[in-house]
Amino acid sequence: MVGDSAATDLDPDAAQAAIEHCYHQGWSDGLPLVPATRELVDRFLAETDRSPDEVIGRMDNLGRTCTVELAAVNAAMAGCLPAYFPVVLAAWEAVMRDRAAKGGAWQSTSGPAPLIIVNGPVREELGFNSSGGAFGPGFRPNATVPRAIGLIVRNAFGIRPHELDQATQGLPGRFAMCFGENEEESPWEPLSVEMGLFDGQSAVSATLVRTCEFVDNRHTQDPEQVLFDFADTIVRTGSLIFADQSCFVVFGPEHAQLLAGAGYSKNDVKDWLIAHCVRSEADLRRVGKDAVAEGGLGGRGPSAEERVSQDTLSRVVSTREQIPIAVTGARNAAMSLVCRVFGTWSNSSCPVERRRRNGTGGT
Amino acid sequence: MGSSIMDPTGQTTRAEGALQPAIRPESLKGMTVGLLDNGKQNAGRFVEELGKVLVERYGVGRVVLRKKPVATVDAPAQLLDDLHHAAELVVIGVGDCGSCSAAAIADGIALERLGTPTAVVCTESFTATADAMAVIRGAAGYRHATVAHPMAGLPFEKVRARAEGVADEVASLLTGATVRRGAA
């Protein structure tokens, strides 16, 4: 194992030259890449039963495809261990289930980022962080799996900033957001189980998000007061651009346990938020977004304005599917994150399929 | 020395031949111009006003309007085929976002390959992505017309002013003046 070699046996000059070569080729996202060799990539491919030639993503408008092997090259360059590769493949499938990912999201001025959630025993087996500081830094799988997704977009699809990637600002943490769900301290069923997979099945879920905002409420033990704090964050007008939006709520264990302790199931929380995440016509008109309720941008025309009274309330989210919930982080403070979904969350989870050894099924 | 470093790009760009731009007419007089509204906000108003200016200023015979179902990806082949048959020339607008600008250029190049001279209009902010898409579609140097950014959210008078301002550039892209420009 390279990782076990004494430092004196290594050749830092050769490593530096190889890293610079990768930069020079335009393959890097800005950080150093691990130079991928045939031998290394073959170790990735040995972790899956899927054929190296299988096409797992295509951008017909760009004439580009991604194969299992290309994904392996990019995952290796991202710094993944070979054992992570089945998780990368599941994460890629989960990301590409997002309709927007096939329809221009990577080229969008919005510059959305994948939010990747890992469930099941693979978290512990591979060392995904599900507790304190789950959004990073410091944990190799959390950092390198989303980076692999970003490198696939850049290299296999050929979508690079200032060229086909037209992100206005992008967002902090783009291609760096991946956490394990803290199933051990969540009072609710894991996200992947809610999505129909069996408990104990390793799985990845993903959606594209535009930003995340914290909800810090260590101020009350009243569940409804806490929920009102979430609702206030969810209904901000700055992020309201369409009538129907999805909002991913990533609860810290304390908030989740407080709500569950008061008798709230996940669906109870969702139903409460659907009912209370509303904006008045006056609020929307004040920021020029009064036509959002009808699915448009900009203000309503004068005739339409007369039809809608100032106290008309518009829902910000209208179905349970638009409010996915997961739990992560440490149970040491009542903090959570509200993540703005770019398009429509696929409402599904993808199983992690590891290589079947000796005829036995993987997890 | 050790093994070589693998290429993560796959280099699978599609092998389309270099673009032969469609044959341009000498003038727009009496021509039928197709207007493809890509569905972005104000795009429909913009191409309709541009059509009116082309009628008033260049004697275009008539215009036919079509709308793209999804702005961010290529137009369906059936829609482009319909435009190719319904019009002698086509104007596409408005590329004013990352994916829809590239997609508008892709549609323009597809129409050129069918034999219909086409002028694509994007806002000035998206020249880089428009040019990148032209390279991908084997049409490096494919020229498009630009208007000031933004287009979305503008009142009608400013949309009209954008149309008036870009009409000459569009006319020049559609006529003989540009027959060989952009061709390798």
Side-chain angles (χ1 to χ4, degrees):
Chain A
M1 282 284 292
V2 172
D4 295 330
S5 303
T8 48
D9 295 338
L10 302 175
D11 184 348
D13 294 330
Q16 288 160 13
I19 287 168
E20 288 304 322
H21 170 81
C22 293
Y23 274 116
H24 188 69
Q25 299 300 313
W27 298 335
S28 168
D29 52 12
L31 294 171
L33 296 173
V34 174
T37 55
R38 181 76 257 171
E39 186 273 339
L40 177 59
V41 171
D42 283 344
R43 284 166 54 207
F44 278 70
L45 295 172
E47 296 289 331
T48 178
D49 286 325
R50 299 173 77 168
S51 161
D53 298 328
E54 182 187 344
V55 173
I56 56 171
R58 52 174 67 248
M59 291 296 283
D60 289 335
N61 62 327
L62 307 178
R64 301 289 284 252
T65 56
C66 180
T67 60
V68 168
E69 176 161 302
L70 264 188
V73 175
N74 282 284
M77 287 186 156
C80 292
L81 287 173
Y84 302 175
F85 191 46
V87 180
V88 171
L89 290 174
W92 177 251
E93 184 182 340
V95 167
M96 292 305 286
R97 281 186 187 180
D98 200 309
R99 195 169 59 89
K102 295 190 278 278
W106 308 119
Q107 297 163 252
S108 172
T109 47
S110 308
L115 176 69
I116 298 167
I117 303 101
V118 181
N119 280 111
V122 77
R123 293 168 305 142
E124 191 179 7
E125 290 161 13
L126 298 179
F128 279 91
N129 183 16
S130 312
S131 59
F135 276 86
F139 295 83
R140 185 171 179 174
N142 297 59
T144 57
V145 168
R147 188 185 186 204
I149 302 299
L151 289 177
I152 292 171
V153 171
R154 177 185 180 90
N155 293 316
F157 283 174
I159 302 173
R160 302 177 180 197
H162 295 192
E163 296 170 15
L164 291 166
D165 173 350
Q166 287 289 304
T168 303
Q169 293 184 314
L171 65 101
R174 197 174 185 203
F175 300 120
M177 287 192 279
C178 173
F179 64 84
E181 181 158 31
N182 188 343
E183 299 176 18
E184 292 69 24
E185 293 188 288
S186 170
W188 298 314
E189 62 186 358
L191 177 63
S192 56
V193 175
E194 186 189 353
M195 292 301 119
L197 302 185
F198 67 85
D199 206 353
Q201 160 80 63
S202 292
V204 183
S205 315
T207 191
L208 298 179
V209 300
R210 288 197 61 177
T211 191
C212 305
E213 182 177 7
F214 69 90
V215 177
D216 181 336
N217 191 318
R218 292 172 277 182
H219 306 69
T220 175
Q221 292 292 307
D222 181 314
E224 213 164 37
Q225 286 181 318
V226 169
L227 284 170
F228 270 117
D229 219 4
F230 280 91
D232 188 69
T233 305
I234 291 170
V235 301
R236 295 213 195 294
T237 58
S239 56
L240 294 185
I241 56 170
F242 301 122
D244 260 342
Q245 306 213 119
S246 297
C247 199
F248 209 123
V249 183
V250 182
F251 282 103
E254 255 190 75
H255 278 153
Q257 290 181 8
L258 183 152
L259 293 168
Y264 284 84
S265 68
K266 263 193 196 181
N267 279 339
D268 292 336
V269 170
K270 294 179 185 192
D271 291 343
W272 192 98
L273 290 172
I274 289 167
H276 294 83
C277 290
V278 293
R279 270 288 185 182
S280 72
E281 181 71 8
D283 287 348
L284 294 172
R285 192 169 294 177
R286 187 172 59 190
V287 298
K289 290 182 170 177
D290 38 319
V292 160
E294 293 177 353
L297 290 165
R300 289 192 175 100
S303 59
E305 278 185 17
E306 289 159 14
R307 283 191 283 110
V308 185
S309 77
Q310 290 283 312
D311 54 4
T312 302
L313 294 176
S314 295
R315 283 197 201 288
V316 170
V317 286
S318 49
T319 65
R320 289 176 178 174
E321 289 71 29
Q322 289 170 304
I323 315 174
I325 288 175
V327 177
T328 198
R331 200 180 64 80
N332 60 6
M335 300 177 190
S336 299
L337 277 181
V338 166
C339 304
R340 307 287 174 178
V341 175
F342 170 68
T344 309
W345 138 253
S346 71
N347 201 44
S348 66
S349 299
C350 298
V352 174
E353 292 170 346
R354 304 170 89 172
R355 185 174 189 184
R356 291 187 296 276
R357 297 178 197 278
N358 306 321
T360 58
T363 49
Chain B
M1 276 297 289
S3 46
S4 61
I5 298 172
M6 290 190 75
D7 184 326
T9 67
Q11 295 175 314
T12 53
T13 46
R14 80 173 66 181
E16 275 182 319
L19 177 68
Q20 289 289 335
I23 307 289
R24 263 63 180 164
E26 288 298 316
S27 88
L28 301 182
K29 197 166 173 54
M31 304 294 282
T32 299
V33 175
L35 306 172
L36 182 56
D37 164 10
N38 72 346
K40 294 294 290 183
Q41 206 215 7
N42 272 339
R45 283 181 190 173
F46 171 78
V47 293
E48 283 189 59
E49 290 309 307
L50 182 54
K52 288 178 194 166
V53 178
L54 293 175
V55 170
E56 293 157 12
R57 208 179 281 176
Y58 291 93
V60 161
R62 67 187 190 96
V63 297
V64 293
L65 183 65
R66 297 286 187 276
K67 187 168 179 176
K68 217 175 143 171
V70 182
T72 54
V73 294
D74 292 26
Q78 196 178 357
L79 175 58
L80 296 182
D81 198 52
D82 167 42
L83 265 172
H84 167 63
H85 287 103
E88 293 158 287
L89 309 162
V90 171
V91 175
I92 301 174
V94 174
D96 77 337
C97 75
S99 49
C100 70
S101 302
I105 293 292
D107 294 339
I109 291 166
L111 279 161
E112 297 279 357
R113 290 189 192 283
L114 289 174
T116 303
T118 301
V120 182
V121 183
C122 297
T123 69
E124 64 202 350
S125 301
F126 296 100
T127 301
T129 195
D131 291 348
M133 179 55 97
V135 170
I136 286 168
R137 295 300 171 95
Y142 182 68
R143 287 155 47 90
H144 66 277
T146 56
V147 292
H149 190 80
M151 181 63 70
L154 289 185
F156 176 77
E157 316 81 70
K158 289 199 172 172
V159 174
R160 169 78 190 184
R162 295 268 204 282
E164 287 174 355
V166 79
D168 288 351
E169 189 181 354
V170 166
S172 120
L173 286 172
L174 291 176
T175 53
T178 58
V179 169
R180 284 174 190 82
R181 266 192 240 165

